[in-house]
Tab-separated table of all heavy atoms in Angstrom:
chain	number	residue	atom	x	y	z
A	86	THR	N	117.203	91.925	115.837
A	86	THR	CA	117.970	93.160	115.670
A	86	THR	C	117.114	94.184	114.928
A	86	THR	O	116.267	93.820	114.108
A	86	THR	CB	119.260	92.944	114.838
A	86	THR	OG1	118.918	92.288	113.626
A	86	THR	CG2	120.295	92.138	115.588
A	88	ASP	N	118.945	97.277	113.711
A	88	ASP	CA	120.154	98.092	113.746
A	88	ASP	C	119.961	99.454	113.076
A	88	ASP	O	119.202	99.589	112.106
A	88	ASP	CB	121.301	97.363	113.024
A	88	ASP	CG	121.769	96.109	113.765
A	88	ASP	OD1	121.274	95.842	114.869
A	88	ASP	OD2	122.639	95.415	113.216
A	89	GLY	N	120.686	100.418	113.559
A	89	GLY	CA	120.679	101.766	112.982
A	89	GLY	C	121.369	102.697	113.955
A	89	GLY	O	121.329	102.461	115.170
A	90	THR	N	122.004	103.709	113.431
A	90	THR	CA	122.640	104.671	114.341
A	90	THR	C	121.552	105.420	115.120
A	90	THR	O	120.414	105.534	114.650
A	90	THR	CB	123.516	105.648	113.548
A	90	THR	OG1	122.771	106.091	112.418
A	90	THR	CG2	124.797	104.990	113.066
A	93	LYS	N	119.065	107.812	113.678
A	93	LYS	CA	118.046	107.282	112.750
A	93	LYS	C	117.110	106.279	113.435
A	93	LYS	O	116.144	105.829	112.830
A	93	LYS	CB	118.742	106.566	111.587
A	93	LYS	CG	119.495	107.478	110.636
A	93	LYS	CD	119.965	106.658	109.430
A	93	LYS	CE	120.989	107.404	108.611
A	93	LYS	NZ	121.782	106.500	107.760
A	133	GLY	N	123.312	86.071	125.649
A	133	GLY	CA	123.668	87.483	125.545
A	133	GLY	C	124.369	87.732	124.227
A	133	GLY	O	123.985	87.181	123.199
A	134	SER	N	125.422	88.533	124.245
A	134	SER	CA	126.149	88.814	122.996
A	134	SER	C	127.456	89.531	123.279
A	134	SER	O	127.551	90.320	124.237
A	134	SER	CB	125.304	89.705	122.088
A	134	SER	OG	126.080	90.190	121.004
A	135	ILE	N	128.413	89.312	122.421
A	135	ILE	CA	129.646	90.099	122.433
A	135	ILE	C	129.302	91.591	122.364
A	135	ILE	O	129.984	92.424	122.960
A	135	ILE	CB	130.562	89.694	121.247
A	135	ILE	CG1	131.909	90.398	121.320
A	135	ILE	CG2	129.902	89.976	119.897
A	135	ILE	CD1	132.903	89.943	120.256
A	136	ASN	N	128.223	91.914	121.662
A	136	ASN	CA	127.875	93.327	121.494
A	136	ASN	C	127.231	93.924	122.745
A	136	ASN	O	127.136	95.136	122.882
A	136	ASN	CB	126.998	93.515	120.249
A	136	ASN	CG	127.771	93.190	118.984
A	136	ASN	OD1	128.987	93.054	119.034
A	136	ASN	ND2	127.091	93.060	117.863
A	141	GLN	N	128.434	98.078	120.099
A	141	GLN	CA	128.601	97.957	118.640
A	141	GLN	C	127.950	99.145	117.962
A	141	GLN	O	126.801	99.486	118.269
A	141	GLN	CB	127.975	96.642	118.139
A	141	GLN	CG	127.850	96.520	116.623
A	141	GLN	CD	129.192	96.547	115.899
A	141	GLN	OE1	130.188	96.000	116.375
A	141	GLN	NE2	129.233	97.205	114.757
A	142	TYR	N	128.697	99.753	117.086
A	142	TYR	CA	128.200	100.883	116.285
A	142	TYR	C	126.876	100.483	115.630
A	142	TYR	O	126.795	99.454	114.967
A	142	TYR	CB	129.258	101.180	115.220
A	142	TYR	CG	129.034	102.412	114.384
A	142	TYR	CD1	129.739	103.587	114.651
A	142	TYR	CD2	128.159	102.390	113.303
A	142	TYR	CE1	129.557	104.713	113.869
A	142	TYR	CE2	127.972	103.517	112.515
A	142	TYR	CZ	128.677	104.675	112.804
A	142	TYR	OH	128.500	105.777	112.023
A	143	GLY	N	125.849	101.287	115.810
A	143	GLY	CA	124.563	101.004	115.157
A	143	GLY	C	123.654	100.079	115.955
A	143	GLY	O	122.651	99.595	115.435
A	144	GLN	N	124.000	99.841	117.239
A	144	GLN	CA	123.198	98.884	118.017
A	144	GLN	C	122.948	99.347	119.456
A	144	GLN	O	123.046	98.539	120.378
A	144	GLN	CB	123.913	97.529	118.080
A	144	GLN	CG	123.823	96.706	116.803
A	144	GLN	CD	124.078	95.233	117.086
A	144	GLN	OE1	125.050	94.897	117.740
A	144	GLN	NE2	123.211	94.361	116.599
A	147	TYR	N	120.191	96.978	120.816
A	147	TYR	CA	120.607	95.574	120.988
A	147	TYR	C	121.687	95.450	122.065
A	147	TYR	O	121.637	94.568	122.930
A	147	TYR	CB	121.109	95.069	119.634
A	147	TYR	CG	121.435	93.597	119.553
A	147	TYR	CD1	120.455	92.672	119.202
A	147	TYR	CD2	122.726	93.131	119.783
A	147	TYR	CE1	120.760	91.313	119.096
A	147	TYR	CE2	123.037	91.789	119.680
A	147	TYR	CZ	122.046	90.886	119.332
A	147	TYR	OH	122.356	89.556	119.224
A	151	LYS	N	121.229	93.313	125.438
A	151	LYS	CA	122.111	92.173	125.706
A	151	LYS	C	122.938	92.409	126.965
A	151	LYS	O	123.183	91.497	127.748
A	151	LYS	CB	123.015	91.902	124.494
A	151	LYS	CG	122.251	91.363	123.282
A	151	LYS	CD	121.679	89.977	123.542
A	151	LYS	CE	121.072	89.349	122.317
A	151	LYS	NZ	120.527	87.993	122.552
A	177	PRO	N	127.711	84.992	122.662
A	177	PRO	CA	128.252	84.586	121.370
A	177	PRO	C	128.877	85.776	120.642
A	177	PRO	O	128.448	86.925	120.802
A	177	PRO	CB	127.012	84.113	120.578
A	177	PRO	CG	125.918	83.962	121.574
A	177	PRO	CD	126.240	84.936	122.678
A	178	GLY	N	129.874	85.477	119.846
A	178	GLY	CA	130.385	86.464	118.902
A	178	GLY	C	129.556	86.388	117.632
A	178	GLY	O	128.356	86.099	117.674
A	179	TYR	N	130.188	86.650	116.504
A	179	TYR	CA	129.471	86.633	115.220
A	179	TYR	C	129.370	85.185	114.726
A	179	TYR	O	130.385	84.538	114.455
A	179	TYR	CB	130.167	87.554	114.208
A	179	TYR	CG	129.826	89.010	114.469
A	179	TYR	CD1	130.361	89.680	115.577
A	179	TYR	CD2	128.927	89.703	113.658
A	179	TYR	CE1	130.018	90.993	115.863
A	179	TYR	CE2	128.587	91.026	113.926
A	179	TYR	CZ	129.128	91.661	115.026
A	179	TYR	OH	128.775	92.967	115.305
A	184	MET	N	120.747	86.146	111.038
A	184	MET	CA	120.875	87.460	111.672
A	184	MET	C	122.183	88.140	111.247
A	184	MET	O	122.202	89.320	110.884
A	184	MET	CB	120.832	87.322	113.202
A	184	MET	CG	120.872	88.637	113.934
A	184	MET	SD	120.904	88.452	115.726
A	184	MET	CE	119.172	88.408	116.115
A	185	VAL	N	123.252	87.390	111.270
A	185	VAL	CA	124.554	87.957	110.893
A	185	VAL	C	124.636	88.155	109.378
A	185	VAL	O	125.225	89.124	108.891
A	185	VAL	CB	125.704	87.080	111.442
A	185	VAL	CG1	127.035	87.440	110.813
A	185	VAL	CG2	125.795	87.262	112.961
A	188	VAL	N	123.851	91.606	108.070
A	188	VAL	CA	124.797	92.733	108.197
A	188	VAL	C	125.354	93.039	106.801
A	188	VAL	O	125.732	92.115	106.070
A	188	VAL	CB	125.952	92.372	109.168
A	188	VAL	CG1	127.028	93.447	109.195
A	188	VAL	CG2	125.402	92.124	110.568
A	189	PRO	N	125.400	94.324	106.417
A	189	PRO	CA	125.910	94.653	105.082
A	189	PRO	C	127.282	94.002	104.827
A	189	PRO	O	128.145	93.992	105.710
A	189	PRO	CB	126.024	96.182	105.108
A	189	PRO	CG	125.091	96.623	106.192
A	189	PRO	CD	125.023	95.511	107.189
A	192	VAL	N	130.569	95.677	105.766
A	192	VAL	CA	130.714	95.819	107.217
A	192	VAL	C	131.114	94.474	107.817
A	192	VAL	O	132.026	94.375	108.647
A	192	VAL	CB	129.382	96.321	107.856
A	192	VAL	CG1	129.510	96.399	109.374
A	192	VAL	CG2	128.977	97.676	107.292
A	195	LYS	N	134.739	93.512	107.404
A	195	LYS	CA	135.638	94.201	108.352
A	195	LYS	C	135.558	93.551	109.730
A	195	LYS	O	136.548	93.452	110.446
A	195	LYS	CB	135.255	95.679	108.459
A	195	LYS	CG	135.723	96.496	107.260
A	195	LYS	CD	135.457	97.974	107.497
A	195	LYS	CE	135.469	98.710	106.167
A	195	LYS	NZ	134.555	99.845	106.093
A	196	ILE	N	134.361	93.109	110.116
A	196	ILE	CA	134.193	92.458	111.427
A	196	ILE	C	134.948	91.129	111.440
A	196	ILE	O	135.698	90.832	112.377
A	196	ILE	CB	132.692	92.247	111.742
A	196	ILE	CG1	132.013	93.602	112.012
A	196	ILE	CG2	132.515	91.309	112.945
A	196	ILE	CD1	130.504	93.580	112.096
B	301	CAA	N1	132.771	102.056	113.554
B	301	CAA	C1	132.891	103.318	113.073
B	301	CAA	N2	132.247	103.768	112.018
B	301	CAA	C2	131.391	102.932	111.422
B	301	CAA	C3	131.201	101.618	111.863
B	301	CAA	C4	131.942	101.198	112.956
B	301	CAA	N3	131.861	99.959	113.465
B	301	CAA	N4	130.293	101.020	111.080
B	301	CAA	C5	129.901	101.934	110.164
B	301	CAA	N5	130.580	103.082	110.374
B	301	CAA	C6	130.518	104.313	109.584
B	301	CAA	C7	130.681	104.023	108.118
B	301	CAA	O1	132.053	103.897	107.791
B	301	CAA	C8	130.022	105.226	107.516
B	301	CAA	O2	130.901	106.321	107.548
B	301	CAA	P1	131.175	107.190	106.235
B	301	CAA	O3	129.824	107.727	105.847
B	301	CAA	O4	132.137	108.227	106.710
B	301	CAA	O5	131.737	106.210	105.240
B	301	CAA	C9	128.904	105.549	108.465
B	301	CAA	O6	129.240	104.891	109.691
B	301	CAA	C10	127.586	105.043	108.004
B	301	CAA	O7	127.672	103.619	107.734
B	301	CAA	P2	126.685	102.915	106.767
B	301	CAA	O8	126.857	103.425	105.348
B	301	CAA	O9	126.757	101.437	106.951
B	301	CAA	O10	125.318	103.548	107.323
B	301	CAA	P3	123.897	102.987	107.399
B	301	CAA	O11	123.079	104.013	108.094
B	301	CAA	O12	123.460	102.457	106.082
B	301	CAA	O13	124.031	101.696	108.360
B	301	CAA	C11	124.468	100.451	110.291
B	301	CAA	C12	124.528	101.843	109.649
B	301	CAA	C13	123.003	100.002	110.376
B	301	CAA	C14	125.030	100.600	111.685
B	301	CAA	C15	125.267	99.455	109.438
B	301	CAA	O14	126.595	99.924	109.313
B	301	CAA	C16	125.276	98.084	110.058
B	301	CAA	O15	124.347	97.307	109.901
B	301	CAA	N6	126.355	97.756	110.782
B	301	CAA	C17	126.488	96.436	111.423
B	301	CAA	C18	125.983	96.470	112.817
B	301	CAA	C19	126.243	95.128	113.412
B	301	CAA	O16	127.372	94.682	113.585
B	301	CAA	N7	125.177	94.430	113.773
B	301	CAA	C20	125.334	93.123	114.316
B	301	CAA	C21	124.192	92.259	113.852
B	301	CAA	S1	124.422	90.576	114.227
B	301	CAA	C22	124.201	90.504	115.879
B	301	CAA	O17	123.833	91.441	116.519
B	301	CAA	C23	124.473	89.182	116.514
B	301	CAA	C24	125.410	89.295	117.612
B	301	CAA	O18	125.003	89.220	118.771
B	301	CAA	C25	126.845	89.448	117.328
Side-chain angles (χ1 to χ4, degrees):
T86 52
D88 292 356
T90 46
K93 291 188 194 160
S134 169
I135 186 175
N136 294 348
Q141 169 62 38
Y142 187 102
Q144 284 201 311
Y147 187 89
K151 291 294 187 179
Y179 282 72
M184 184 183 271
V185 167
V188 173
V192 177
K195 283 186 199 147
I196 290 170

